[in-house]
Amino acid sequence: MIGYLNGQYLPQENIVISPEDRGFLFADGIYEVIRSYSGKLFRSKAHLDRLSHGARALQFNQTDFSYLESVCEKLILENCLTQGDAVIYMQVTRGVAPRSHAFPPIETPLTVYATAKSFQPHLQESETGIQVILVPDQRWARCDIKTIGLLANTLAHQRARNSQATEGLFVRDGAVMEGTHSNVMAVMDGKVITPPRTNYMLAGITREFVLGLCGDLSIPFSETPLYESDILKADELMIVGTTVEVTPVIAINGENIGSGTPGPITRKLQKAFHQTTQTVNFFPP
Ligand code: PLP
């Protein structure tokens, strides 16, 4: 496998990161995950714009990562991933410096790492739907930054796995925010409802895309807070994200949502999403 580190393409086993990297010491970094379908990147510009948003929020010395698009393309080619599905992981940290809470000198180069590997879509979960649990949101107040500091997410996700569920949905002050690695959408009275963008959730690229699909398909939608009590009465529920695409949720905390099977609007959105990713030229880039 060939990976990328700071301008060089190297065999994965030769990629070495310093123990003084601020990503390792402080989780002082951001990341992105982009899907490719048959070698074509899906929504790469939106992902790289979100990386810039994070870099600005963390006051990195570089905030334009548009060049990473060609890095992703080269990794796809070098790793023979032009057929089928793949996932590209990118991480940018504040670089290497002796451990100190203060930022290192502004000229310290960022550490930029990327890797690509083949991806198996979760077909069974897309087909039958998944169970989720509600978990208290113990994250910080800048969930809009896609930071590599994911401990609250991994703890919550593991809690879900330990309860035989596939995803945990974060609840803050009675409102459902998002999943540990996905956004959430409910269907109530024929309308798709998803929590509004705030600093307490990640502005998902898939979320934005699926709202666009709702528009295209004339499915009414709104970005409105989703309270725990509402969500339990939803007709349908789904999670959306780069790896989960559009996955139906059939139960929360062991209680069925609607009929306990994937609902018709979820299926419509799944189908439209799938049709888009199967066309060679995605719209828009
Ligand atoms: N929310 C969180 C916390 C995530 O980690 C992710 C993706 O990893 C998402 C939402 C979905 O975002 P996207 O659709 O951009 O993958």
Side-chain angles (χ1 to χ4, degrees), residues 142-183:
R142 289 304 308 269
C143 305
D144 57 306
I145 304 171
K146 199 165 167 64
T147 161
I148 57 173
L150 287 173
L151 202 46
N153 302 56
T154 59
L155 287 170
H157 190 79
Q158 191 57 41
R159 186 163 158 181
R161 294 283 170 168
N162 293 347
S163 324
Q164 282 31 273
T166 307
E167 176 64 309
L169 300 184
F170 285 120
V171 179
R172 191 185 289 260
D173 298 331
V176 180
M177 296 294 159
E178 60 179 333
T180 67
H181 66 303
S182 58
N183 290 110

Side-chain angles (χ1 to χ4, degrees), residues 4 15 40 78 82 86 168 211 216 260:
Y4 170 91
I15 292 187
K40 298 276 192 299
E78 292 280 332
T82 53
L211 292 180
D216 296 344

Side-chain angles (χ1 to χ4, degrees), residues 31 47 50 139 146 153 178-183 202-207 240-242:
Y31 76 106
H47 282 280
R50 187 170 61 189
R139 298 174 300 165
K146 199 165 167 64
N153 302 56
E178 60 179 333
T180 67
H181 66 303
S182 58
N183 290 110
L202 187 75
I205 308 304
T206 319
R207 171 189 179 279
V240 301
T242 295

Side-chain angles (χ1 to χ4, degrees), residues 77-89:
L77 281 177
E78 292 280 332
N79 291 292
C80 308
L81 296 169
T82 53
Q83 312 285 315
D85 292 0
V87 74
I88 300 100
Y89 177 82

